Amino acid sequence: MPMAVPSTLYLVVLFLVILPAAKSQRNQPMRLRFGKKGEFKILQVADMHYGDGKATPCEDVLPSQLASCSDLNTTAFVRRMILAEKPDFIVFTGDNIFGFDATDAAKSLEAAFGPAIASNIPWAAVLGNHDQESTLSREGVMKHIVGLKNTLSRVNPSEVNPIDGFGNYNLEVGGVQGSAFQNKSVLNLYFLDSGDYSTVPGIFGYGWIKASQQFWFQLTSANLKRAYMSKPLPQKSAAPGLAYFHIPLPEFSRFDASNYTGVRQEGISSPTVNSGFFTSMVESGDVKAVFTGHDHLNDFCGALNGINLCYAGGFGYHAYGKAGWPRRARVVVANLEATSNGNWGTVKSIRTWKRLDDEHLTAIDAQVLWSKTSVVK
């Protein structure tokens, strides 16, 4: 059983220290919004493990693929997904580069994110446990990402300082331009640094989401809920939220084949410490789904206490995988409800599916993650 780490005292102290400085981002212009058809589509790319491009070989592919397979296959897959799905937003959920095999971290990052940059589609990224193993520190990697074209990534929030990790931030998705909800965030996106490895003596394994990050999440969630339930057009409950980070929570191990969609082909490589972030999300009440990577052979979604816990499945060709089991990506679509006057209102449903990197980019495992008319358990 993962070890619980008490954080209540820390949160109380932090709350007293920084509450006066904590502000909502309501005065900032909406960088993301739903399209005229009442839809917002997100492409998730997990574990590219990019190295040095053409010189970096593929892992765990069929013998017939080995001679010509490299990081360029990963690049081609990103491009195929962008062309096929035409997403409104792209999220890279860590291990974007495989540091040990990246000679120059900055160049590898630019090549890995190249298709997103070239597409002019807004994108964001979080860090995994391998991104900092090249020529840039963890902070340096995130700062380099933030400086790239078309990214909405941020190093850290200004309203909570200090905060653990690099790449903790949120983005708001506004309603359709010209609709009554054009200046309200009707969908909230949270991004967190789930760390790399434990630095606590006697505690081994992967990192975890710390108390300072959970405080930032709780504060941000509360501010967004307050704004959504305030005039104009006050709503009765919080807008739905989605959370993205790299390392799966211990709660991902709570599923078996009877209560998830997708496959589980390896163990859940979560931290040995349960820091309580899942409980924080349940208490906040707005997050409807969590999306991670890290375990490349798992691609399932399962619902627990009202929150869907979802893997994307391994994407990158230099990452470990399973020969004959196609690399894959996850797509998430939020749809708005139509109003009686022919315009668009708030989010009606959130759906997901995956696409395989095969001849037809086969779509599999379509499912509804959340809707206004049903509650996941």
Side-chain angles (χ1 to χ4, degrees):
M1 180 70 67
M3 183 189 308
V5 175
S7 59
T8 305
L9 179 60
Y10 177 84
L11 291 178
V12 170
V13 173
L14 191 59
F15 181 82
L16 292 174
V17 170
I18 72 168
L19 180 61
K23 297 179 180 179
S24 170
Q25 302 177 43
R26 300 309 306 165
N27 294 327
Q28 297 183 8
M30 293 287 182
R31 300 294 301 277
L32 300 172
R33 67 172 61 254
F34 280 75
K36 294 181 179 180
K37 295 183 179 180
E39 180 179 283
F40 188 79
K41 182 184 288 187
I42 302 171
L43 168 63
Q44 181 191 359
V45 175
D47 297 273
M48 288 189 291
H49 279 234
Y50 205 92
D52 282 343
K54 188 176 181 179
T56 301
C58 295
E59 301 284 342
D60 298 322
V61 294
L62 295 171
S64 59
Q65 297 174 287
L66 275 174
S68 60
C69 194
S70 71
D71 279 336
L72 301 188
N73 290 63
T74 300
T75 299
F77 186 22
V78 179
R79 287 175 178 153
R80 292 184 76 198
M81 286 299 303
I82 290 173
L83 289 172
E85 289 290 358
K86 298 177 175 59
D88 300 292
F89 186 52
I90 305 169
V91 180
F92 297 91
T93 49
D95 282 2
N96 308 294
I97 62 173
F98 188 68
F100 290 126
D101 292 333
T103 305
D104 184 317
K107 289 182 179 179
S108 292
L109 287 165
E110 290 161 18
F113 299 128
I117 294 171
S119 73
N120 287 321
I121 295 170
W123 60 275
V126 294
L127 302 182
N129 53 295
H130 289 303
D131 289 290
Q132 76 291 341
E133 294 168 341
S134 179
T135 55
L136 290 174
S137 67
R138 200 165 181 81
E139 180 179 10
V141 169
M142 201 64 216
K143 285 183 174 179
H144 190 76
I145 289 172
V146 168
L148 296 177
K149 183 183 176 184
N150 297 326
T151 189
L152 300 183
S153 307
R154 298 174 189 162
V155 175
N156 269 329
S158 59
E159 61 268 26
V160 176
N161 189 15
I163 187 170
D164 288 280
F166 302 97
N168 303 287
Y169 56 101
N170 71 290
L171 295 172
E172 303 176 17
V173 186
V176 175
Q177 186 74 43
S179 74
F181 290 91
Q182 67 175 353
N183 294 320
K184 267 189 183 291
S185 178
V186 296
L187 179 68
N188 295 310
L189 308 178
Y190 300 99
F191 305 86
L192 296 101
D193 181 1
S194 54
D196 50 7
Y197 303 97
S198 171
T199 58
V200 179
I203 299 178
F204 303 99
Y206 293 108
W208 55 88
I209 294 173
K210 307 296 198 305
S212 62
Q213 297 167 278
Q214 294 186 52
F215 172 76
W216 164 78
F217 164 77
Q218 291 166 331
L219 181 67
T220 303
S221 173
N223 284 339
L224 291 168
K225 182 177 181 179
R226 187 180 305 114
Y228 193 64
M229 298 176 68
S230 299
K231 294 181 179 180
L233 298 173
Q235 301 300 298
K236 295 181 179 180
S237 60
L242 307 175
Y244 290 89
F245 46 89
H246 182 69
I247 297 175
L249 301 172
E251 284 79 7
F252 273 71
S253 64
R254 298 276 294 273
F255 302 107
D256 57 45
S258 69
N259 57 6
Y260 62 69
T261 299
V263 298
R264 175 177 173 176
Q265 302 177 113
E266 63 175 311
I268 309 299
S269 298
S270 58
T272 57
V273 167
N274 190 333
S275 64
F277 185 54
F278 181 77
T279 300
S280 293
M281 289 189 290
V282 172
E283 290 175 343
S284 293
D286 60 334
V287 172
K288 307 306 178 188
V290 168
F291 302 96
T292 68
H294 192 55
D295 298 329
H296 309 174
L297 300 182
N298 296 337
D299 72 353
F300 67 80
C301 267
L304 180 67
N305 297 118
I307 299 177
N308 287 275
L309 302 179
C310 299
Y311 280 107
F315 189 100
Y317 278 86
H318 186 52
Y320 77 84
K322 183 178 179 182
W325 192 69
R327 265 59 174 186
R328 57 203 57 211
R330 182 172 290 281
V331 178
V332 174
V333 175
N335 290 97
L336 302 178
E337 58 185 354
T339 61
S340 56
N341 62 359
N343 216 317
W344 297 105
T346 58
V347 176
K348 175 181 66 175
S349 66
I350 301 172
R351 299 173 291 126
T352 188
W353 60 87
K354 300 184 292 284
R355 280 193 185 267
L356 310 182
D357 192 20
D358 58 16
E359 181 182 358
H360 303 290
L361 279 179
T362 304
I364 63 170
D365 295 339
Q367 62 186 117
V368 176
L369 298 177
W370 176 83
S371 72
K372 275 192 172 181
T373 56
S374 65
V375 178
V376 295
K377 299 180 179 179

